[in-house]
Amino acid sequence: IASNRVSYFYNLTGKSISVDTACSSSIVAVSLAMEDHFLQKTQVSLVIGVNSIITGTLFSSHTMAGMLSKRGRCAAFDASADGYVRG
């Protein structure tokens, strides 16, 4: 409902959707906007991506479970990968 509230507040018209695909939400939203633009369904698009880490609870539980990278660096699909990195 957040996207609809923003659209209403700014008096924006047209499609108003929220996208939640875990880590790729912002890029998927951009892709959807570009698709509509290329298909000439819209002339202007507004895409807003937000990532809010409000508390440290999830970070703490990931640390205690040994899931986070000790180096704090991403090494996806690499033999040197040593854990997960929050983005």
Side-chain angles (χ1 to χ4, degrees):
I1 194 165
S3 58
N4 303 111
R5 301 285 292 168
V6 170
S7 294
Y8 178 79
F9 181 82
Y10 289 106
N11 196 29
L12 302 173
T13 59
K15 193 186 302 188
S16 175
I17 61 173
S18 294
V19 177
D20 184 1
T21 61
C23 296
S24 63
S25 299
S26 294
I27 194 67
V28 170
V30 169
S31 178
L32 291 170
M34 290 176 62
E35 181 180 345
D36 279 358
H37 182 73
F38 290 131
L39 294 175
Q40 297 181 344
K41 292 181 179 181
T42 185
Q43 292 179 339
V44 177
S45 296
L46 174 65
V47 178
I48 301 171
V50 177
N51 178 23
S52 297
I53 301 175
I54 299 171
T55 67
T57 306
L58 190 58
F59 181 78
S60 295
S61 63
H62 284 359
T63 301
M64 290 189 317
M67 296 169 54
L68 298 179
S69 170
K70 303 229 182 322
R71 295 177 297 149
R73 303 199 67 122
C74 183
F77 311 110
D78 191 303
S80 68
D82 66 345
Y84 172 73
V85 178
R86 298 278 326 244

